[in-house]
Structure formats: structure tokens, C-alpha cells
Coordinates of all heavy atoms in Angstrom, one line a residue:
D27 N 160.2 69.3 -41.5 CA 160.0 70.2 -42.6 C 159.4 71.6 -42.3 O 158.4 71.6 -41.4 CB 159.2 69.5 -43.6 CG 159.9 68.3 -44.4 OD1 161.2 68.4 -44.4 OD2 159.2 67.5 -44.8
Y28 N 159.8 72.6 -43.0 CA 159.2 73.9 -42.9 C 158.4 73.9 -44.2 O 158.7 73.5 -45.2 CB 160.2 75.1 -42.8 CG 160.8 75.2 -41.5 CD1 162.1 74.6 -41.3 CD2 160.3 76.1 -40.6 CE1 162.8 74.8 -40.1 CE2 161.0 76.2 -39.3 CZ 162.2 75.5 -39.2 OH 162.8 75.8 -38.0
F29 N 157.2 74.7 -44.1 CA 156.4 75.0 -45.3 C 155.5 76.3 -45.1 O 155.4 76.7 -43.9 CB 155.5 73.7 -45.6 CG 154.4 73.4 -44.6 CD1 153.1 73.9 -44.8 CD2 154.6 72.7 -43.4 CE1 152.1 73.7 -43.9 CE2 153.6 72.5 -42.5 CZ 152.3 73.0 -42.8
G30 N 154.9 76.7 -46.2 CA 154.2 77.9 -46.1 C 154.7 79.1 -46.2 O 154.2 80.2 -46.3
F31 N 156.2 79.2 -46.3 CA 157.0 80.3 -46.3 C 157.1 81.1 -47.6 O 157.3 82.3 -47.7 CB 158.3 80.2 -45.6 CG 159.1 79.1 -46.4 CD1 159.9 79.5 -47.5 CD2 159.1 77.8 -45.9 CE1 160.7 78.4 -48.0 CE2 159.9 76.8 -46.5 CZ 160.6 77.2 -47.5
R32 N 156.9 80.3 -48.7 CA 157.1 80.8 -50.0 C 156.1 82.0 -50.3 O 156.4 83.0 -50.9 CB 157.0 79.7 -51.1 CG 157.2 80.2 -52.6 CD 157.3 79.2 -53.5 NE 156.0 78.5 -53.6 CZ 155.7 77.5 -54.5 NH1 156.7 77.0 -55.4 NH2 154.5 77.0 -54.4
T33 N 154.8 81.6 -49.9 CA 153.7 82.6 -50.1 C 153.9 83.8 -49.2 O 153.7 84.9 -49.6 CB 152.4 81.9 -49.9 OG1 152.2 80.8 -50.8 CG2 151.3 82.9 -50.0
L34 N 154.2 83.5 -47.9 CA 154.4 84.5 -46.9 C 155.5 85.5 -47.4 O 155.4 86.8 -47.2 CB 154.8 83.9 -45.6 CG 155.1 84.9 -44.4 CD1 153.9 85.8 -44.1 CD2 155.7 84.2 -43.2
F35 N 156.7 85.1 -47.9 CA 157.8 86.0 -48.2 C 157.8 86.4 -49.6 O 158.7 87.0 -50.2 CB 159.0 85.2 -47.9 CG 159.3 84.9 -46.5 CD1 159.9 83.7 -46.1 CD2 158.8 85.7 -45.5 CE1 159.9 83.3 -44.8 CE2 159.1 85.3 -44.2 CZ 159.5 84.2 -43.8
S36 N 156.6 86.1 -50.4 CA 156.4 86.6 -51.7 C 156.4 88.0 -51.9 O 155.8 88.7 -51.0 CB 155.2 85.9 -52.5 OG 155.0 86.4 -53.7
M37 N 156.9 88.6 -52.9 CA 156.8 90.1 -53.2 C 155.5 90.4 -53.8 O 155.2 91.6 -53.9 CB 158.1 90.5 -54.0 CG 159.4 90.4 -53.3 SD 159.5 91.3 -51.8 CE 159.6 93.0 -52.4
A38 N 154.8 89.5 -54.4 CA 153.6 89.8 -55.1 C 152.4 89.1 -54.5 O 151.8 89.7 -53.5 CB 153.8 89.3 -56.6
N39 N 151.9 88.1 -55.0 CA 150.7 87.3 -54.5 C 151.0 86.7 -53.2 O 151.7 85.8 -53.1 CB 150.3 86.4 -55.5 CG 148.9 85.8 -55.0 OD1 148.4 86.0 -54.1 ND2 148.3 85.1 -56.1
K40 N 150.3 87.2 -52.1 CA 150.5 86.7 -50.8 C 149.3 85.8 -50.4 O 148.9 85.7 -49.2 CB 150.7 87.8 -49.7 CG 152.1 88.4 -49.9 CD 152.4 89.4 -48.7 CE 153.7 89.9 -48.8 NZ 154.9 89.1 -48.6
H41 N 148.7 85.1 -51.3 CA 147.5 84.3 -51.0 C 148.0 82.7 -51.3 O 148.6 82.6 -52.4 CB 146.4 84.6 -51.9 CG 145.7 86.0 -51.6 ND1 146.2 87.1 -52.1 CD2 144.7 86.2 -50.7 CE1 145.5 88.1 -51.6 NE2 144.6 87.7 -50.8
Y42 N 147.7 81.9 -50.4 CA 148.1 80.5 -50.6 C 147.6 79.9 -51.9 O 146.3 80.2 -52.1 CB 147.6 79.7 -49.3 CG 148.4 80.0 -48.2 CD1 147.8 80.6 -47.0 CD2 149.8 79.8 -48.0 CE1 148.5 80.9 -45.8 CE2 150.5 80.1 -46.8 CZ 149.8 80.6 -45.7 OH 150.5 80.9 -44.5
H43 N 148.4 79.3 -52.6 CA 147.9 78.6 -53.9 C 147.5 77.1 -53.7 O 147.0 76.5 -54.7 CB 149.1 78.6 -54.9 CG 150.1 77.7 -54.5 ND1 151.1 77.8 -53.6 CD2 150.5 76.5 -55.2 CE1 152.0 76.8 -53.6 NE2 151.7 76.0 -54.6
C44 N 147.5 76.8 -52.4 CA 147.2 75.3 -52.1 C 146.4 75.2 -50.7 O 146.5 76.2 -49.9 CB 148.4 74.3 -52.1 SG 149.2 74.1 -53.6
D45 N 145.6 74.3 -50.5 CA 145.2 73.7 -49.2 C 146.3 73.0 -48.5 O 147.0 72.1 -49.1 CB 144.0 72.8 -49.2 CG 142.8 73.6 -49.8 OD1 142.6 74.8 -49.7 OD2 141.9 72.8 -50.3
A46 N 146.6 73.3 -47.2 CA 147.5 72.4 -46.4 C 146.8 71.6 -45.4 O 146.0 72.1 -44.5 CB 148.4 73.3 -45.6
K47 N 146.6 70.3 -45.7 CA 145.8 69.4 -45.0 C 146.6 68.4 -44.2 O 147.6 67.8 -44.8 CB 144.8 68.7 -46.0 CG 143.8 67.9 -45.3 CD 142.6 67.5 -46.3 CE 143.1 66.8 -47.5 NZ 141.9 66.3 -48.4
V48 N 146.2 67.9 -43.1 CA 146.9 67.0 -42.3 C 146.5 65.7 -42.8 O 145.2 65.3 -42.9 CB 146.4 67.1 -40.8 CG1 147.1 66.0 -39.9 CG2 146.9 68.5 -40.2
L49 N 147.4 64.9 -43.1 CA 147.2 63.4 -43.5 C 147.4 62.4 -42.4 O 146.7 61.3 -42.5 CB 148.1 63.1 -44.8 CG 147.9 64.0 -46.0 CD1 148.8 63.6 -47.0 CD2 146.4 63.9 -46.5
I50 N 148.3 62.6 -41.5 CA 148.6 61.8 -40.4 C 148.6 62.8 -39.3 O 149.2 63.9 -39.3 CB 149.9 61.0 -40.4 CG1 149.9 60.1 -41.6 CG2 150.2 60.3 -39.1 CD1 151.3 59.3 -41.8
D51 N 147.8 62.5 -38.2 CA 147.6 63.3 -36.9 C 149.0 64.1 -36.6 O 150.1 63.4 -36.6 CB 147.3 62.5 -35.8 CG 146.0 61.9 -36.0 OD1 145.2 62.2 -37.0 OD2 145.4 61.3 -35.0
A52 N 148.9 65.4 -36.5 CA 150.2 66.2 -36.5 C 150.3 67.0 -35.2 O 149.4 67.4 -34.7 CB 150.1 67.0 -37.8
E53 N 151.6 67.4 -35.0 CA 152.0 68.5 -34.1 C 152.7 69.5 -35.0 O 153.8 69.2 -35.6 CB 152.9 67.9 -33.0 CG 152.4 66.6 -32.2 CD 151.4 67.2 -31.2 OE1 151.6 68.3 -30.7 OE2 150.4 66.5 -30.8
I54 N 152.3 70.7 -34.9 CA 152.7 71.8 -35.8 C 153.2 73.0 -35.0 O 152.5 73.4 -34.0 CB 151.8 72.1 -36.9 CG1 151.2 70.9 -37.7 CG2 152.2 73.2 -37.8 CD1 152.3 70.4 -38.6
T55 N 154.3 73.7 -35.3 CA 154.5 75.0 -34.9 C 154.3 76.0 -35.9 O 154.8 75.9 -37.0 CB 156.0 75.0 -34.5 OG1 156.3 74.0 -33.5 CG2 156.4 76.5 -33.8
R56 N 153.5 76.9 -35.5 CA 153.1 78.0 -36.4 C 153.9 79.3 -36.1 O 154.1 79.6 -34.9 CB 151.6 78.4 -36.3 CG 151.1 79.5 -37.3 CD 149.7 79.6 -37.3 NE 149.1 79.9 -35.9 CZ 147.9 79.7 -35.7 NH1 147.0 79.2 -36.4 NH2 147.6 80.1 -34.4
I57 N 154.6 79.8 -37.0 CA 155.7 80.9 -36.9 C 155.2 82.1 -37.5 O 155.0 82.2 -38.8 CB 157.0 80.4 -37.5 CG1 157.5 79.0 -36.8 CG2 158.1 81.5 -37.2 CD1 158.5 78.3 -37.6
K58 N 155.1 83.2 -36.9 CA 154.7 84.5 -37.4 C 155.7 85.6 -37.2 O 155.9 86.0 -36.1 CB 153.3 84.8 -36.7 CG 152.7 86.2 -37.3 CD 151.4 86.6 -36.7 CE 150.7 87.8 -37.4 NZ 149.6 88.2 -36.8
P59 N 156.4 85.9 -38.3 CA 157.5 87.0 -38.2 C 156.8 88.2 -37.8 O 155.8 88.7 -38.1 CB 158.1 87.1 -39.6 CG 157.8 85.7 -40.1 CD 156.4 85.4 -39.6
N60 N 157.5 89.0 -36.8 CA 156.9 90.3 -36.4 C 157.0 91.2 -37.6 O 156.0 91.9 -37.9 CB 157.8 90.9 -35.3 CG 157.6 90.0 -34.0 OD1 156.7 89.2 -33.8 ND2 158.7 89.9 -33.2
V61 N 158.1 91.4 -38.2 CA 158.4 92.2 -39.4 C 159.2 91.4 -40.3 O 160.3 91.0 -39.9 CB 159.1 93.6 -39.2 CG1 159.2 94.3 -40.4 CG2 158.1 94.4 -38.2
V62 N 158.9 91.1 -41.5 CA 159.4 90.2 -42.4 C 161.0 90.6 -42.5 O 161.9 89.8 -42.4 CB 158.8 90.0 -43.7 CG1 159.7 89.2 -44.6 CG2 157.5 89.2 -43.6
S63 N 161.3 91.9 -42.8 CA 162.6 92.3 -43.1 C 163.5 92.1 -41.9 O 164.6 91.7 -42.0 CB 162.6 93.8 -43.5 OG 162.0 94.6 -42.4
E64 N 162.9 92.4 -40.7 CA 163.8 92.2 -39.4 C 163.9 90.6 -39.1 O 165.0 90.2 -38.6 CB 163.0 92.8 -38.3 CG 163.0 94.3 -38.3 CD 162.2 94.9 -37.1 OE1 162.0 94.2 -36.2 OE2 162.1 96.2 -37.1
F65 N 163.0 89.8 -39.5 CA 163.1 88.4 -39.3 C 164.3 87.9 -40.3 O 165.1 87.1 -39.7 CB 161.8 87.7 -39.8 CG 161.9 86.2 -39.7 CD1 161.7 85.6 -38.6 CD2 162.2 85.4 -40.8 CE1 161.8 84.2 -38.4 CE2 162.3 84.1 -40.8 CZ 162.1 83.4 -39.6
F66 N 164.5 88.3 -41.5 CA 165.5 88.0 -42.3 C 166.8 88.5 -41.8 O 167.8 87.9 -41.7 CB 165.3 88.5 -43.8 CG 164.2 87.5 -44.5 CD1 163.3 88.2 -45.3 CD2 164.3 86.2 -44.5 CE1 162.4 87.4 -45.9 CE2 163.4 85.5 -45.3 CZ 162.5 86.1 -46.0
A67 N 166.9 89.8 -41.3 CA 168.0 90.4 -40.9 C 168.6 89.6 -39.5 O 169.9 89.6 -39.5 CB 167.8 91.8 -40.5
H68 N 167.8 89.2 -38.7 CA 168.2 88.5 -37.4 C 168.3 87.1 -37.5 O 168.5 86.4 -36.5 CB 167.3 89.1 -36.4 CG 167.5 90.5 -36.1 ND1 166.8 91.5 -36.7 CD2 168.3 91.2 -35.2 CE1 167.2 92.7 -36.2 NE2 168.1 92.5 -35.2
N69 N 167.9 86.5 -38.7 CA 167.9 85.0 -38.8 C 168.6 84.7 -40.1 O 167.9 84.0 -40.9 CB 166.5 84.4 -38.8 CG 165.8 84.7 -37.4 OD1 166.1 84.0 -36.4 ND2 164.9 85.7 -37.4
T70 N 169.7 85.0 -40.3 CA 170.5 84.9 -41.6 C 170.7 83.5 -41.9 O 170.6 83.1 -43.2 CB 171.8 85.6 -41.5 OG1 172.6 85.2 -40.4 CG2 171.6 87.1 -41.4
V71 N 171.1 82.6 -40.9 CA 171.3 81.1 -41.2 C 169.9 80.5 -41.7 O 169.9 79.8 -42.7 CB 171.9 80.5 -40.1 CG1 172.1 78.9 -40.4 CG2 173.2 81.1 -39.7

């Protein structure tokens, strides 16, 4: 699953509305777009 992108790509409030807490020990990939518009343009699928 992907998560956390709705707030990141929001046009208005870019502050998380929730805590994201690990419930079962996790391995996570954190993804930071260089420029959001370029990220969308080069990752259409």
C-alpha cells in the first residue's frame, strides 16, 4: 500500500490530518518527489 500522498499533493492544506503509527513492525519506503509537477509528468501510470 501507498499512503500519505493525499496531503502531499493537496493544493491547499499540506499538513497531515492524522498520525501514521506502526502497528506491526514495518519496513517502509519513503518517497520524496523532487518537484511535484515533474513527478506527475514523468510517472503518468
Side-chain angles (χ1 to χ4, degrees):
D27 288 333
Y28 286 92
F29 68 96
F31 56 87
R32 183 176 63 178
T33 302
L34 174 63
F35 298 143
S36 171
M37 297 297 291
N39 188 351
K40 289 186 178 294
H41 293 86
Y42 291 114
H43 72 291
C44 291
D45 295 333
K47 184 166 62 175
V48 175
L49 299 180
I50 295 179
D51 293 359
E53 303 281 332
I54 303 290
T55 300
R56 185 168 58 199
I57 307 161
K58 184 176 182 179
N60 297 332
V61 178
V62 170
S63 58
E64 292 181 3
F65 177 83
F66 282 134
H68 291 85
N69 298 280
T70 55
V71 177

